[in-house]
Structure formats: C-alpha cells, structure tokens
C-alpha cells in the first residue's frame, strides 16, 4: 500500500479528547495533535530551541487511514459524530480537511531542498543523488543521503564540528565519533587525513544510516561503525574525540573521553545551546581537559578541549 488518507479536524481544545476518540474508533491507528498550549509549560531539559508559537484556543487533530477506506463516507461519518458533541462542547470554528498522502512523496519530496553546500574551506556536502556537481580542485566532497531523521549536515552545530576537525586534524590520527548520526563527521575526518575512525551511536537506525552514507565515500574501510551508549566500555584510545550531541548528554561522557584521549589529544563537543555552555565547559575541565577554542554561531556553541600538561597557549593556562 503506497497511499494514505488524512483527516484533519480543527476544534476547540476542550473537545480534543472526545474528537480523538471518534477518529480512533473510525479506524485510525493514532492521532497527531498540534496544540499551541504544549509550549506554555515546556521545560528546557536538553537545550531545545523552541519555535515561536501563537497561542490559540483551537487544536488540530490529524488521523491517517488506509487508502482503501472510502474517504467521503468516512469523513461524513466522522463529521456526524463530531456534530453530536454540540450538546457538550462549543463547535464554533470547527473545520474538517482531507488529503491524500503518498509514502513515496514523504520520503522523496524533501530532497529538493537539499543542495550541495560548501561548509568549510575544504569540505563540501553533496547529496548522494546529485550527478552534475562540478567540484573545484581544493574541495573535498562528503556524499550524504541522510534520510529525514538525521539532518543534512548543514546545521550550525555540525558546521562548527567540521570547522573544528579541519583545524585539528593533520593526518594519521585515530578519531572517535560519538553520536555519529548521519556519519558526516566520520567521513569528514577521513577526508581530512584521519587514519582510522570509530563511530558510535546508541540508535540502531542511525548506525544503519551512517553505514550507508559512509559506503558512498572513498576510503570507507577506515571507518568502523557500531551501536554503543556514548563511550561506555570503549577501550580504543584516540587522538581526537568528536561529539555533536545535546549538552545534557555531553556532560555524561567527559570522564570517559579523558580516559580515552591520548596525551596532547583533543575533545571536540558541539550541539551546545548558549545557556548550557558553561555547564559543559565545567564538566570537561573537571575531567582534566583545558579549553582551547570556543566557537559560537547564533545560539549554538562548539568547544575544543586539549588533554595536556603544557598550558602554554591554552585558554586559561
């Protein structure tokens, strides 16, 4: 089955639960709820950047049904049951919209917005389906097919991670890529001269995506990908560890990172929202690292730490 029908109901918030029940009883496997009130009491636990939302007394409920169910009859039946709620709820402003959705469209339509992007002096991210891109002599191309779940590699946190790798890698290093996601930082490390990369992600789906992306690029045999929770039980020492994860997760790995980074080696941490940066820096410094570089782009921070006894030239040394 390649297509689905969606029915979206705009209704007052008070009727949300009753209408959700009607949609599910009509055969929906679940209901997507969009409610501006969700952002009123949201706690910033992991450094999320929340969108600006205009508050409304209405919610939108969207239910999905297989295409073999007759949409007109299904919609009419749902509307009939909702109108029966008028004794209990104010139905002013009620609206009903239907749409036909193709699974292929969901998977492919977004790709038109992902174009080749030169991220650093040397590194350019190129969608795997691009066939006519003409690279300049100095460009190193990262071929990427991230899928919808793992981004395109052009987010500020990824950009700064790539800048950091470009500053640090000189050739021949061993790199650990923690929370590899699409695998973009692992591929970049090899392009910048790393001899071996060990990439970890706790998500099995991410591991599969990373493996697929890595195999699109040259020298992919230098990159080893496996599922793991941060650096727990890892024994492989490294010249560089890079992690582009949320701040509250980064602080959980600083002790293991210090254990695994070789003397005079580096720890790169990105994905840090501004008001969490001091927390991450303290955790890394408490583990024994020294802050060498801090990059800021908008609300995001990327920090580079060094494991060294020689503090000359290191910030704070």
């Amino acid at each position: 089955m390649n297509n689905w029908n969606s029915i979206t109901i705009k209704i007052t918030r008070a009727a949300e639960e009753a209408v959700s029940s009607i949609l599910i009883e009509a055969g929906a496997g679940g209901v997507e709820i969009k409610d501006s009130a969700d952002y009123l009491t949201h706690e910033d636990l992991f450094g999320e950047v929340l969108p600006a939302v205009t508050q409304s007394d209405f919610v939108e409920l969207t239910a999905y049904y297989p295409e073999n169910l007759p949409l007109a009859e299904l919609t009419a039946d749902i509307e009939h049951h909702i109108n029966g709620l008028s004794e209990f709820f104010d139905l002013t402003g009620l609206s009903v919209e239907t749409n036909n959705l193709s699974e292929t469209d969901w998977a492919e339509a977004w790709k038109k917005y992902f174009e080749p992007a030169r991220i650093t002096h040397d590194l350019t991210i190129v969608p795997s389906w691009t066939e006519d891109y003409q690279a300049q002599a100095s460009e190193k191309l990262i071929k990427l097919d991230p899928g919808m779940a793992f981004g395109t590699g052009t987010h500020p946190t990824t950009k700064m991670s790539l800048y950091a790798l470009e500053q640090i890698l000189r050739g021949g290093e061993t790199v650990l890529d923690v929370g590899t996601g699409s695998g973009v930082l692992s591929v970049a490390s090899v392009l910048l001269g790393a001899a071996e990369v060990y990439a970890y992600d706790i998500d099995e789906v991410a591991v599969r995506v990373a493996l697929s992306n890595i195999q699109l690029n040259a020298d992919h045999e230098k990159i080893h990908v496996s599922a793991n929770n941060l650096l727990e039980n890892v024994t492989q020492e490294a010249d560089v560890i890079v992690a582009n994860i949320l701040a509250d997760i980064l602080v959980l790995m600083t002790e293991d990172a210090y254990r695994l980074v070789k003397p005079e080696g580096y720890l790169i941490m990105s994905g840090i929202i501004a008001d969490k940066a001091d927390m991450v820096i303290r955790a890394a410094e408490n583990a024994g690292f020294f802050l060498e570089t801090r990059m800021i782009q908008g609300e995001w921070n990327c920090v580079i730490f060094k494991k060294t006894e020689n503090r000359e030239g290191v910030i704070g040394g």
Side-chain angles (χ1 to χ4, degrees):
M1 184 178 298
N2 296 319
N3 296 288
W4 294 79
N5 292 318
S6 71
I7 300 178
T8 298
I9 311 294
K10 182 180 177 182
I11 193 75
T12 56
R13 184 177 293 106
E16 174 189 318
E17 186 174 346
V19 174
S20 294
S21 297
I22 290 171
L23 294 171
I24 291 172
E25 289 173 4
V31 177
E32 176 187 359
I33 301 172
K34 295 182 180 179
D35 186 353
S36 59
D38 289 342
Y39 295 89
L40 288 175
T41 59
H42 185 92
E43 294 183 17
D44 175 16
L45 298 178
F46 298 108
E48 302 101 321
V49 175
L50 303 177
V53 174
T54 301
Q55 292 300 315
S56 171
D57 293 329
F58 291 89
V59 296
E60 285 188 4
L61 311 178
T62 300
Y64 299 93
Y65 300 92
E67 64 174 341
N68 60 350
L69 294 180
L71 183 58
E73 290 87 342
L74 181 64
T75 305
D77 184 60
I78 289 171
E79 286 190 79
H80 172 73
H81 284 87
I82 292 176
N83 287 328
L85 299 174
S86 60
E87 182 180 349
F88 309 100
F89 303 103
D90 180 4
L91 300 184
T92 302
L94 169 70
S95 67
V96 180
E97 294 182 5
T98 62
N99 195 14
N100 181 264
L101 304 170
S102 166
E103 288 183 350
T104 300
D105 289 345
W106 292 350
E108 300 294 328
W110 66 279
K111 290 183 177 181
K112 65 183 178 181
Y113 301 106
F114 181 19
E115 298 179 347
R118 189 145 188 181
I119 305 300
T120 70
H121 182 274
D122 293 324
L123 297 171
T124 296
I125 294 177
V126 179
S128 62
W129 53 87
T130 300
E131 298 179 354
D132 57 354
Y133 183 74
Q134 299 297 317
Q136 298 181 17
S138 61
E139 283 183 279
K140 296 177 172 65
L141 303 186
I142 302 172
K143 295 181 181 179
L144 197 64
D145 185 359
M148 290 184 289
F150 300 101
T152 61
T154 56
H155 189 273
T157 62
T158 309
K159 287 182 178 180
M160 288 189 289
S161 299
L162 293 169
Y163 295 149
L165 288 169
E166 196 171 71
Q167 289 178 34
I168 289 172
L169 294 177
R170 295 293 180 265
E173 294 91 349
T174 297
V175 176
L176 304 186
D177 176 11
V178 185
T180 189
S182 66
V184 61
L185 299 182
S186 292
V187 174
S189 296
V190 170
L191 288 174
L192 293 169
E196 267 191 312
V197 178
Y198 295 85
Y200 306 107
D201 204 293
I202 195 171
D203 187 338
E204 293 282 359
V205 176
V207 169
R208 293 196 297 271
V209 171
L211 281 169
S212 177
N213 280 322
I214 287 163
Q215 290 169 1
L216 296 171
N217 293 272
D219 296 324
H220 57 80
E221 68 279 358
K222 296 179 180 180
I223 304 173
H224 317 281
V225 188
S226 59
N228 198 71
N229 184 14
L230 300 178
L231 292 170
E232 289 183 4
N233 302 314
V234 174
T235 58
Q236 175 64 52
E237 293 186 337
D239 302 286
V240 178
I241 294 177
V242 59
N244 180 17
I245 318 174
L246 293 173
D248 293 79
I249 307 301
L250 289 171
V251 298
L252 302 178
M253 59 169 279
T254 52
E255 297 287 343
D256 281 329
Y258 192 81
R259 170 175 60 86
L260 296 171
V261 171
K262 298 175 184 178
E264 305 306 312
Y266 291 91
L267 170 64
I268 301 167
M269 295 198 291
S270 190
I272 308 165
I273 200 70
D275 61 6
K276 303 261 184 176
D278 289 343
M279 175 186 72
V280 174
I281 291 170
R282 283 196 304 271
E285 290 180 336
N286 289 340
F289 288 103
F290 291 94
L291 178 63
E292 185 170 272
T293 305
R294 179 175 178 178
M295 292 182 281
I296 300 172
Q297 185 172 349
E299 296 186 79
W300 296 101
N301 283 239
C302 174
V303 283
I304 304 174
F305 296 95
K306 191 170 185 179
K307 181 177 179 177
T308 182
E309 297 299 322
N310 179 14
R311 304 188 186 186
E312 183 179 352
V314 178
I315 296 173

Coordinates of all heavy atoms in Angstrom, one line a residue, residues 24-82:
I24 N -10.2 7.6 16.3 CA -9.6 6.3 16.6 C -10.7 5.2 16.3 O -10.4 4.2 15.7 CB -9.0 6.2 18.0 CG1 -7.7 7.1 18.0 CG2 -8.6 4.8 18.3 CD1 -7.1 7.3 19.4
E25 N -11.9 5.5 16.8 CA -12.9 4.5 16.6 C -13.3 4.3 15.2 O -13.8 3.3 14.7 CB -14.2 4.9 17.4 CG -14.0 4.8 18.9 CD -15.2 5.3 19.7 OE1 -16.1 5.8 19.1 OE2 -15.1 5.3 21.0
A26 N -13.0 5.3 14.3 CA -13.2 5.3 12.9 C -12.1 4.5 12.2 O -12.2 4.3 11.0 CB -13.3 6.7 12.3
G27 N -11.1 4.0 12.9 CA -10.1 3.2 12.3 C -8.7 3.7 12.2 O -7.8 3.1 11.7
A28 N -8.5 4.9 12.8 CA -7.1 5.5 12.8 C -6.2 4.7 13.8 O -6.6 4.4 14.9 CB -7.1 7.0 13.1
G29 N -5.0 4.5 13.4 CA -4.0 3.8 14.3 C -3.5 4.8 15.3 O -3.1 4.4 16.4
G30 N -3.7 6.1 15.1 CA -3.2 7.1 16.1 C -3.6 8.4 15.6 O -4.1 8.6 14.5
V31 N -3.5 9.4 16.5 CA -3.9 10.8 16.1 C -2.7 11.7 16.4 O -2.2 11.7 17.5 CB -5.1 11.2 16.9 CG1 -5.5 12.6 16.6 CG2 -6.3 10.3 16.6
E32 N -2.4 12.6 15.5 CA -1.4 13.6 15.7 C -2.1 14.9 16.2 O -3.1 15.3 15.6 CB -0.7 13.9 14.3 CG 0.3 15.1 14.4 CD 0.8 15.4 13.0 OE1 0.4 14.8 12.0 OE2 1.6 16.4 13.0
I33 N -1.6 15.4 17.3 CA -2.2 16.6 17.9 C -1.3 17.8 17.8 O -0.1 17.7 18.3 CB -2.6 16.3 19.3 CG1 -3.6 15.1 19.4 CG2 -3.2 17.5 20.0 CD1 -3.9 14.6 20.8
K34 N -1.7 18.9 17.3 CA -1.0 20.1 17.3 C -1.7 21.1 18.2 O -2.8 21.5 17.9 CB -0.8 20.7 15.9 CG 0.0 19.9 15.0 CD 0.1 20.5 13.6 CE 1.0 19.6 12.7 NZ 1.1 20.3 11.3
D35 N -1.0 21.5 19.3 CA -1.6 22.3 20.3 C -0.6 23.4 20.8 O 0.4 23.0 21.3 CB -2.1 21.5 21.5 CG -2.9 22.3 22.5 OD1 -3.0 23.5 22.4 OD2 -3.4 21.7 23.5
S36 N -0.9 24.6 20.5 CA 0.0 25.7 20.9 C 0.2 25.7 22.4 O 1.3 26.2 22.9 CB -0.6 27.1 20.5 OG -1.9 27.3 21.1
A37 N -0.7 25.2 23.2 CA -0.5 25.2 24.7 C 0.6 24.3 25.1 O 1.1 24.4 26.3 CB -1.8 24.8 25.4
D38 N 1.0 23.4 24.3 CA 2.1 22.5 24.6 C 3.4 23.3 24.9 O 4.3 22.8 25.6 CB 2.4 21.5 23.5 CG 1.3 20.5 23.4 OD1 0.5 20.3 24.3 OD2 1.2 19.8 22.3
Y39 N 3.5 24.5 24.4 CA 4.8 25.2 24.6 C 4.7 26.2 25.8 O 5.7 26.8 26.1 CB 5.0 26.1 23.3 CG 5.3 25.2 22.1 CD1 4.3 24.8 21.3 CD2 6.6 24.8 21.8 CE1 4.6 23.9 20.2 CE2 6.9 24.0 20.7 CZ 5.9 23.6 19.9 OH 6.2 22.8 18.9
L40 N 3.6 26.2 26.5 CA 3.5 27.1 27.6 C 4.2 26.6 28.8 O 4.8 27.3 29.6 CB 2.0 27.3 28.0 CG 1.1 28.1 27.0 CD1 -0.3 28.1 27.4 CD2 1.7 29.6 27.0
T41 N 4.2 25.3 29.0 CA 4.8 24.7 30.2 C 6.0 23.8 29.9 O 6.4 23.0 30.7 CB 3.8 23.9 31.0 OG1 3.2 22.8 30.1 CG2 2.6 24.7 31.5
H42 N 6.5 23.9 28.7 CA 7.6 23.1 28.3 C 8.9 23.4 29.0 O 9.2 24.6 29.1 CB 7.9 23.3 26.8 CG 8.9 22.3 26.2 ND1 8.6 21.1 25.7 CD2 10.2 22.4 26.2 CE1 9.7 20.5 25.3 NE2 10.7 21.3 25.6
E43 N 9.5 22.4 29.6 CA 10.7 22.6 30.3 C 11.9 22.3 29.4 O 12.0 21.3 28.7 CB 10.8 21.7 31.5 CG 9.8 21.9 32.6 CD 9.9 21.0 33.8 OE1 11.0 20.4 33.9 OE2 9.0 20.9 34.6
D44 N 12.9 23.2 29.5 CA 14.1 23.1 28.6 C 15.1 22.1 29.3 O 15.9 22.5 30.1 CB 14.8 24.5 28.4 CG 16.1 24.4 27.7 OD1 16.3 23.3 27.1 OD2 16.9 25.3 27.7
L45 N 14.9 20.8 29.0 CA 15.7 19.8 29.7 C 17.0 19.5 28.9 O 18.0 19.2 29.5 CB 14.9 18.5 29.9 CG 13.7 18.6 30.7 CD1 13.0 17.3 30.8 CD2 14.0 19.1 32.1
F46 N 17.0 19.7 27.6 CA 18.1 19.3 26.8 C 18.6 20.3 25.8 O 19.2 20.0 24.8 CB 17.8 18.0 26.0 CG 17.5 16.8 27.0 CD1 16.2 16.4 27.1 CD2 18.5 16.2 27.7 CE1 15.9 15.3 28.0 CE2 18.2 15.2 28.5 CZ 16.9 14.7 28.7
G47 N 18.2 21.6 26.1 CA 18.7 22.6 25.2 C 18.0 22.8 23.9 O 18.5 23.3 22.9
E48 N 16.7 22.4 23.9 CA 16.0 22.6 22.6 C 15.7 24.0 22.3 O 15.6 24.8 23.2 CB 14.6 21.9 22.7 CG 14.7 20.4 23.1 CD 14.4 20.2 24.5 OE1 14.8 20.9 25.4 OE2 13.7 19.1 24.8
V49 N 15.7 24.3 21.0 CA 15.3 25.6 20.5 C 13.9 25.5 20.1 O 13.6 24.8 19.1 CB 16.2 26.1 19.4 CG1 15.7 27.4 18.8 CG2 17.6 26.2 19.8
L50 N 13.0 26.2 20.8 CA 11.6 26.0 20.5 C 11.1 27.1 19.6 O 11.5 28.2 19.6 CB 10.8 26.1 21.9 CG 11.2 25.1 22.9 CD1 10.4 25.3 24.2 CD2 11.0 23.7 22.4
P51 N 10.1 26.7 18.7 CA 9.6 27.7 17.8 C 8.7 28.7 18.4 O 8.2 28.5 19.5 CB 8.8 26.9 16.8 CG 8.4 25.7 17.6 CD 9.5 25.4 18.6
A52 N 8.6 29.9 17.8 CA 7.7 30.9 18.3 C 6.3 30.5 17.9 O 6.0 30.2 16.7 CB 8.0 32.3 17.7
V53 N 5.4 30.3 18.9 CA 4.1 29.8 18.6 C 3.0 30.8 19.1 O 3.1 31.3 20.2 CB 3.9 28.5 19.3 CG1 2.4 28.0 19.2 CG2 4.8 27.4 18.8
T54 N 2.1 31.1 18.2 CA 0.9 32.0 18.6 C -0.1 31.1 19.3 O -0.5 30.1 18.8 CB 0.3 32.6 17.3 OG1 1.3 33.4 16.7 CG2 -0.9 33.5 17.7
Q55 N -0.5 31.6 20.5 CA -1.4 30.8 21.3 C -2.8 30.9 20.7 O -3.2 31.9 20.2 CB -1.4 31.3 22.8 CG -0.1 31.0 23.5 CD 0.2 29.5 23.6 OE1 -0.7 28.7 23.9 NE2 1.4 29.1 23.3
S56 N -3.5 29.7 20.8 CA -4.8 29.6 20.2 C -5.7 28.8 21.1 O -5.2 27.9 21.8 CB -4.8 29.0 18.8 OG -6.1 28.7 18.3
D57 N -7.0 29.0 21.0 CA -8.0 28.2 21.8 C -8.3 26.9 21.0 O -9.1 26.0 21.5 CB -9.3 28.9 22.1 CG -9.0 30.1 23.0 OD1 -8.1 29.9 23.9 OD2 -9.7 31.1 22.9
F58 N -7.8 26.8 19.8 CA -8.1 25.6 18.9 C -6.9 24.7 18.9 O -5.7 25.1 19.0 CB -8.5 26.1 17.5 CG -9.8 26.8 17.4 CD1 -9.8 28.2 17.6 CD2 -10.9 26.1 17.2 CE1 -11.0 28.8 17.5 CE2 -12.2 26.8 17.1 CZ -12.2 28.1 17.3
V59 N -7.2 23.4 18.6 CA -6.2 22.4 18.4 C -6.5 21.7 17.0 O -7.6 21.8 16.5 CB -6.1 21.3 19.5 CG1 -5.8 21.9 20.8 CG2 -7.5 20.6 19.6
E60 N -5.4 21.2 16.4 CA -5.6 20.4 15.2 C -5.3 18.9 15.4 O -4.3 18.6 16.0 CB -4.7 20.9 14.1 CG -5.1 22.3 13.5 CD -4.2 22.7 12.3 OE1 -3.4 21.9 11.9 OE2 -4.4 23.8 11.8
L61 N -6.2 18.1 15.1 CA -6.1 16.7 15.2 C -6.1 16.1 13.8 O -7.0 16.3 13.0 CB -7.3 16.1 16.0 CG -7.7 16.7 17.3 CD1 -8.9 16.1 17.9 CD2 -6.5 16.7 18.3
T62 N -5.0 15.3 13.5 CA -4.9 14.7 12.2 C -4.8 13.2 12.4 O -4.0 12.7 13.2 CB -3.6 15.2 11.5 OG1 -3.7 16.6 11.3 CG2 -3.5 14.5 10.1
A63 N -5.7 12.5 11.7 CA -5.7 11.0 11.7 C -5.4 10.5 10.3 O -5.8 11.1 9.3 CB -7.1 10.5 12.2
Y64 N -4.8 9.3 10.3 CA -4.4 8.7 9.0 C -5.1 7.4 8.8 O -5.2 6.5 9.7 CB -2.9 8.5 8.9 CG -2.1 9.8 9.1 CD1 -1.7 10.3 10.3 CD2 -1.9 10.6 8.0 CE1 -1.0 11.5 10.4 CE2 -1.2 11.8 8.1 CZ -0.8 12.2 9.3 OH -0.1 13.4 9.5
Y65 N -5.6 7.2 7.6 CA -6.4 6.0 7.2 C -5.9 5.4 5.9 O -5.6 6.1 5.0 CB -7.9 6.4 7.1 CG -8.5 7.0 8.4 CD1 -8.5 8.3 8.5 CD2 -9.0 6.2 9.4 CE1 -9.0 8.9 9.7 CE2 -9.6 6.7 10.5 CZ -9.6 8.1 10.7 OH -10.1 8.6 11.8
P66 N -6.0 4.1 5.8 CA -5.5 3.4 4.6 C -6.4 3.9 3.4 O -7.6 4.2 3.6 CB -5.8 1.9 4.9 CG -5.8 1.8 6.4 CD -6.3 3.1 6.9
E67 N -5.8 3.9 2.2 CA -6.5 4.5 1.1 C -7.7 3.6 0.6 O -8.5 4.1 -0.1 CB -5.5 4.6 -0.1 CG -4.9 3.3 -0.6 CD -4.1 3.5 -1.9 OE1 -4.2 4.5 -2.5 OE2 -3.3 2.5 -2.2
N68 N -7.7 2.4 1.1 CA -8.8 1.5 0.6 C -10.1 1.8 1.4 O -11.2 1.3 1.0 CB -8.5 0.0 0.8 CG -8.1 -0.4 2.2 OD1 -8.0 0.5 3.1 ND2 -8.0 -1.7 2.4
L69 N -10.1 2.7 2.4 CA -11.3 3.1 3.1 C -11.9 4.2 2.3 O -11.2 5.2 1.9 CB -11.0 3.5 4.5 CG -10.5 2.4 5.5 CD1 -10.3 3.0 6.8 CD2 -11.6 1.3 5.5
P70 N -13.2 4.2 2.0 CA -13.8 5.3 1.2 C -13.8 6.6 2.0 O -14.5 6.8 3.0 CB -15.2 4.8 1.0 CG -15.5 3.8 2.1 CD -14.2 3.2 2.4
L71 N -13.0 7.6 1.4 CA -12.8 8.8 2.2 C -14.0 9.6 2.4 O -14.2 10.2 3.5 CB -11.7 9.6 1.5 CG -11.2 10.9 2.2 CD1 -10.7 10.6 3.5 CD2 -10.2 11.6 1.3
A72 N -14.8 9.8 1.4 CA -16.0 10.6 1.5 C -17.0 10.1 2.6 O -17.4 10.9 3.5 CB -16.8 10.7 0.2
E73 N -17.2 8.8 2.6 CA -18.1 8.2 3.6 C -17.5 8.3 5.0 O -18.2 8.5 6.0 CB -18.4 6.7 3.2 CG -19.3 6.6 2.0 CD -18.5 6.6 0.7 OE1 -17.3 7.0 0.7 OE2 -19.1 6.1 -0.4
L74 N -16.2 8.0 5.0 CA -15.5 8.0 6.3 C -15.6 9.4 6.9 O -15.9 9.6 8.1 CB -14.1 7.6 6.1 CG -13.1 7.6 7.3 CD1 -13.6 6.5 8.3 CD2 -11.7 7.3 6.9
T75 N -15.3 10.5 6.1 CA -15.4 11.9 6.6 C -16.7 12.2 7.0 O -16.9 12.9 8.1 CB -14.9 12.8 5.5 OG1 -13.6 12.4 5.0 CG2 -14.8 14.2 6.0
A76 N -17.7 11.8 6.3 CA -19.1 12.2 6.6 C -19.5 11.5 8.0 O -20.2 12.2 8.8 CB -20.1 11.7 5.5
D77 N -19.1 10.3 8.2 CA -19.4 9.6 9.4 C -18.7 10.3 10.6 O -19.3 10.5 11.7 CB -19.0 8.2 9.3 CG -19.4 7.4 10.5 OD1 -20.6 7.3 10.8 OD2 -18.4 6.8 11.2
I78 N -17.5 10.7 10.4 CA -16.7 11.4 11.5 C -17.4 12.7 11.8 O -17.6 13.1 13.0 CB -15.3 11.6 11.1 CG1 -14.5 10.2 11.1 CG2 -14.5 12.6 12.0 CD1 -13.1 10.2 10.5
E79 N -17.7 13.5 10.8 CA -18.4 14.8 11.0 C -19.7 14.6 11.7 O -20.1 15.4 12.6 CB -18.6 15.5 9.7 CG -17.4 16.1 9.0 CD -17.7 16.9 7.8 OE1 -18.1 18.1 8.1 OE2 -17.6 16.5 6.7
H80 N -20.5 13.6 11.4 CA -21.8 13.3 12.0 C -21.5 13.1 13.5 O -22.3 13.7 14.4 CB -22.4 12.1 11.4 CG -23.6 11.6 12.2 ND1 -24.8 12.3 12.1 CD2 -23.8 10.5 13.0 CE1 -25.7 11.7 12.9 NE2 -25.1 10.6 13.4
H81 N -20.5 12.3 13.9 CA -20.3 12.0 15.3 C -19.8 13.3 16.0 O -20.1 13.5 17.2 CB -19.3 10.9 15.4 CG -19.9 9.5 15.2 ND1 -20.0 9.0 14.0 CD2 -20.5 8.6 16.1 CE1 -20.6 7.8 14.1 NE2 -20.9 7.5 15.3
I82 N -19.0 14.1 15.3 CA -18.5 15.3 16.0 C -19.6 16.3 16.2 O -19.7 16.9 17.3 CB -17.4 15.9 15.1 CG1 -16.1 15.1 15.1 CG2 -17.0 17.3 15.7 CD1 -15.0 15.6 14.2

